[in-house]
């Protein structure tokens, strides 16, 4: 995946007249992520996060402060869903980014722009786009090995893994923005030693730490996306939590893979961190271990190998109801780099479309759970507690094998590179409903 240009919008010296943006952990002026918000029940529209605030793109489009592609992009972002903006591709995103960066950094514009600024605390966030299709990959190699060894101790990594970016088609209708309440879903489970399955709430509610990939311009049915053009089709990234019912999964997954263990809810962070904002944080894809097969030519691109991974640190925090009541912060249960992906995002896009399958603006791809090689960087409780056999202890003395009612689970991500201002993704949070029975 070729990287967008580094330009004045990435300049570490650039600051904003919106004071909260300067030194902000996630949304300094170098980030400018895209989202959809509403205030007090009014119509959802596009916005860009800046510090503790949002700039209203619908108001900006009406302001006559923009020209050309930036104006067209802001008009596209005035809708309750950003699909039209995503369809414009890099041209629209870059023009809008440059214009907004100038408006928010140059104090000469403050008087005109200030009325379009809304506190994020006053805004409700919505899904950024209408998600036509959602596909979940499985590119976190340590996760694939760990889970495989729990489900199939003799055969953890199946022979296709190093040849194909493995994935399955997920369920778009049950994707929700950060903050959505999580229930223990009902379903079938069967313990290995049991004679018959049971029906009821999952006993093994888990999370999965993933990145989400937003598709920009799509491809026509029957026309694959070559790997060296994949970057034109990727708009940006978010965090993604693929909530999972492990007991249902173990019983249902053979022979066709995940179904009801996964499709009851997927939570994503509310902001699209654009591929332009991520430009300074591109790093080489880690070399394949000696002896691993070289991918087939349609999955191989030297430029993608040179800069197809991201200097991004992922983190998971868990806070129980008792911890919240005591005013405690979340307890970190995992932290690791996003570079533990065996396949790059461009390889995922090239593979997804190699048979002519058409991706569409606003489609969402999940990377699959990203676990580190070490035990402090695992991306699911299934791995951390070894399928519940080794529960973790929380600072209150409570223990957790899997998630319980009242628990709050939060994913975060930070990008860092020498000479550049760090940017973050915001939060991807879910609170588990305090009651075992699903609606
Ligand atoms: Ca997953």
């Amino acid at each position: 995946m070729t990287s967008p240009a580094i330009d004045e919008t990435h300049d570490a010296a650039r600051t904003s007249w919106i004071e909260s943006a300067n030194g902000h952990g996630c949304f300094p002026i170098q980030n400018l992520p895209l989202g959809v918000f509403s205030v007090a029940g009014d119509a959802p529209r596009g916005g860009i996060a800046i510090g503790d605030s949002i700039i209203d793109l619908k108001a900006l489009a009406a302001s006559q402060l923009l020209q050309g592609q930036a104006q067209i992009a802001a008009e596209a972002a005035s809708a309750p869903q950003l699909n039209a903006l995503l369809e414009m591709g890099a041209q629209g995103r870059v023009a809008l980014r440059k214009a907004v960066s100038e408006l928010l950094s140059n104090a000469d514009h403050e008087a005109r722009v200030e009325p379009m600024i809304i506190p994020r605390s006053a805004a409700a966030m919505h899904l950024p786009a209408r998600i036509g299709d959602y596909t979940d990959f499985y590119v976190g190699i340590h996760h694939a090995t760990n889970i495989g060894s729990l489900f199939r101790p003799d055969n953890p990594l199946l022979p296709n893994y190093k040849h194909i970016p493995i994935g399955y088609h997920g369920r778009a209708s049950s994707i929700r923005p950060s903050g959505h309440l999580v229930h223990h879903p009902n379903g079938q489970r069967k313990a290995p030693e049991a004679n018959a399955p049971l029906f009821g709430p999952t006993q093994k509610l888990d999370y999965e730490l993933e990145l989400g990939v937003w598709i920009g311009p799509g491809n026509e049915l029957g026309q694959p996306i070559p790997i060296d053009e994949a970057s034109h089709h990727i708009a940006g990234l978010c965090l993604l939590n693929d909530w999972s019912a492990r007991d249902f999964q173990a019983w249902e997954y053979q022979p066709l893979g995940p179904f009801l263990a996964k499709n009851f809810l997927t939570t994503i962070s509310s902001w699209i961190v654009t591929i332009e904002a991520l430009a300074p944080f591109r790093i080489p894809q880690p070399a394949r271990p000696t002896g691993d097969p070289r991918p087939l030519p349609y999955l191989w691109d030297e430029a993608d190998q040179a800069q197809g991974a991201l200097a991004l640190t992922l983190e998971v925090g868990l806070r129980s109801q008792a911890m919240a009541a005591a005013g405690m912060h979340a307890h970190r249960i995992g932290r690791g780099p996003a570079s533990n992906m065996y396949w790059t995002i461009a390889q995922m896009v090239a593979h997804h479309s190699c048979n002519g399958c058409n991706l569409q603006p606003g489609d969402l791809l999940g990377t699959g759970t990203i676990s580190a090689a070490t035990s402090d960087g695992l991306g699911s409780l299934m791995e951390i507690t070894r399928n519940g056999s080794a529960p973790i202890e929380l600072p209150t003395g409570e223990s957790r094998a899997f998630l319980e009612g009242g628990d709050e689970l939060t994913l975060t991500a930070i990008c860092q590179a020498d000479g550049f201002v760090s940017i973050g993704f915001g939060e991807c949070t879910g609170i588990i409903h305090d009651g075992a029975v699903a609606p």
Side-chain angles (χ1 to χ4, degrees), residues 347-388:
Q347 286 173 318
M348 287 184 248
V349 168
H351 183 65
H352 202 311
S353 65
C354 73
N355 64 348
C357 174
N358 52 321
L359 301 176
Q360 302 183 94
D363 279 1
L364 186 68
L365 313 182
T367 56
T369 308
I370 303 173
S371 288
T374 51
S375 61
D376 58 352
L378 301 175
S380 67
L381 280 172
M382 175 88 175
E383 294 163 89
I384 295 171
T385 69
R386 302 201 56 73
N387 198 13

Side-chain angles (χ1 to χ4, degrees), residues 134 136-138 143 168 208-210 240-244 246 258 262 366-369:
Y134 158 50
D136 200 14
F137 282 89
Y138 197 52
H143 171 77
Y168 71 97
E208 291 197 330
L209 168 61
E210 305 194 19
L240 185 150
N241 185 342
D242 177 22
W243 302 101
S244 300
R246 298 300 183 193
K262 301 281 192 173
T367 56
T369 308

Side-chain angles (χ1 to χ4, degrees), residues 135-145 157 161-168 208-213 285-286 288 299 308 314 337-349 351-352 365-372:
T135 303
D136 200 14
F137 282 89
Y138 197 52
V139 308
I141 187 165
H142 303 303
H143 171 77
T145 306
L157 212 55
Y161 189 86
K162 293 183 174 179
H163 296 274
I164 297 178
I166 300 290
Y168 71 97
E208 291 197 330
L209 168 61
E210 305 194 19
L211 288 171
V213 179
Q285 173 69 357
R288 293 187 158 216
L299 290 172
L314 303 163
S339 56
N340 290 301
M341 291 161 55
Y342 192 75
W343 300 95
T344 68
I345 294 168
Q347 286 173 318
M348 287 184 248
V349 168
H351 183 65
H352 202 311
L365 313 182
T367 56
T369 308
I370 303 173
S371 288

